[in-house]
Amino acid sequence: MVRQRQSENPKSETRNPKSLVGVIMGSKSDWETMRATSEMLTRFGVAHECHVMSAHRTPALASEFAGTAESRGLEIIIAAAGGAAHLAGVIAAHTVLPVLGVPMKSDALNGLDSLLATVQMPAGIPVATLAIGKAGATNAALLAIAILANSRPALKEKLRAFRAEQEKKIRETTLD
């Protein structure tokens, strides 16, 4: 069974049948960064589920998750991994849903290895690759929201309001 985060209980073992976005990560340690994805999706009211699975340690689980995602109602998958960072690519190979890859910072090369592994996909199997770490995690949620907003006018309005709020904060910034 795939693990899902419900509220703050990452040990829950049920899937949310209303989820539009699946957020997966290669290890539990990635949750510190990927929490930003979940928080942003929650802020916009986008139903989502969060799981831990590995392209290398649980390949059958990753394949099953991706292969059943569309039939379970998911519309987008956000996949985060560090090091070899093959999770997003493996998921993309098993589904036609949009896959957004978030490279995690790593000890060896500070995430550059993860970025290169995520972004280097062969022609025909796309993965949209975001920035390394928390900025990428946040932007993956916002990109998923923008994709979903194309067919959901209320969500598009929330996104417009979010952008206007960002602009207002910058315009009101003063240097003392």
Side-chain angles (χ1 to χ4, degrees), residues 1-173:
M1 178 64 75
V2 178
R3 293 183 185 258
Q4 173 192 350
R5 182 181 106 30
Q6 289 182 331
S7 181
E8 288 300 315
N9 181 7
K11 295 190 181 205
S12 174
E13 299 224 359
T14 60
R15 292 179 176 162
N16 181 350
K18 296 179 182 177
S19 292
L20 297 174
V21 179
V23 180
I24 60 175
M25 59 212 81
S27 66
K28 187 176 179 179
S29 62
D30 296 332
W31 178 240
E32 184 178 329
T33 298
M34 294 309 292
R35 184 184 310 266
T37 303
S38 181
E39 289 171 351
M40 187 62 70
L41 291 169
T42 298
R43 177 176 177 176
F44 278 83
V46 174
H48 62 285
E49 52 190 54
C50 298
H51 309 276
V52 173
M53 63 188 69
S54 168
H56 303 108
R57 295 180 301 269
T58 60
L61 179 62
S63 175
E64 182 265 336
F65 177 83
T68 62
E70 188 175 5
S71 67
R72 292 185 295 108
L74 293 180
E75 296 185 26
I76 300 167
I77 299 172
I78 298 171
H86 293 137
L87 185 58
V90 167
I91 295 298
H94 290 285
T95 185
V96 295
L97 294 176
V99 176
L100 313 181
V102 180
M104 294 288 97
K105 285 191 177 182
S106 60
D107 292 334
L109 298 171
N110 206 27
L112 181 59
D113 51 341
S114 307
L115 173 64
L116 294 174
T118 304
V119 80
Q120 293 297 321
M121 289 300 297
I125 307 292
V127 169
T129 306
L130 285 296
I132 298 167
K134 188 173 180 181
T138 300
N139 283 340
L142 289 168
L143 181 55
I145 290 163
I147 293 167
L148 293 169
N150 282 323
S151 61
R152 293 168 176 86
L155 192 54
K156 188 167 276 188
E157 285 310 308
K158 286 182 182 180
L159 190 54
R160 288 184 204 281
F162 174 81
R163 293 276 183 96
E165 179 185 320
Q166 284 187 308
E167 180 179 353
K168 182 180 179 212
K169 284 180 184 177
I170 295 299
R171 287 180 179 269
E172 292 175 351
T173 299

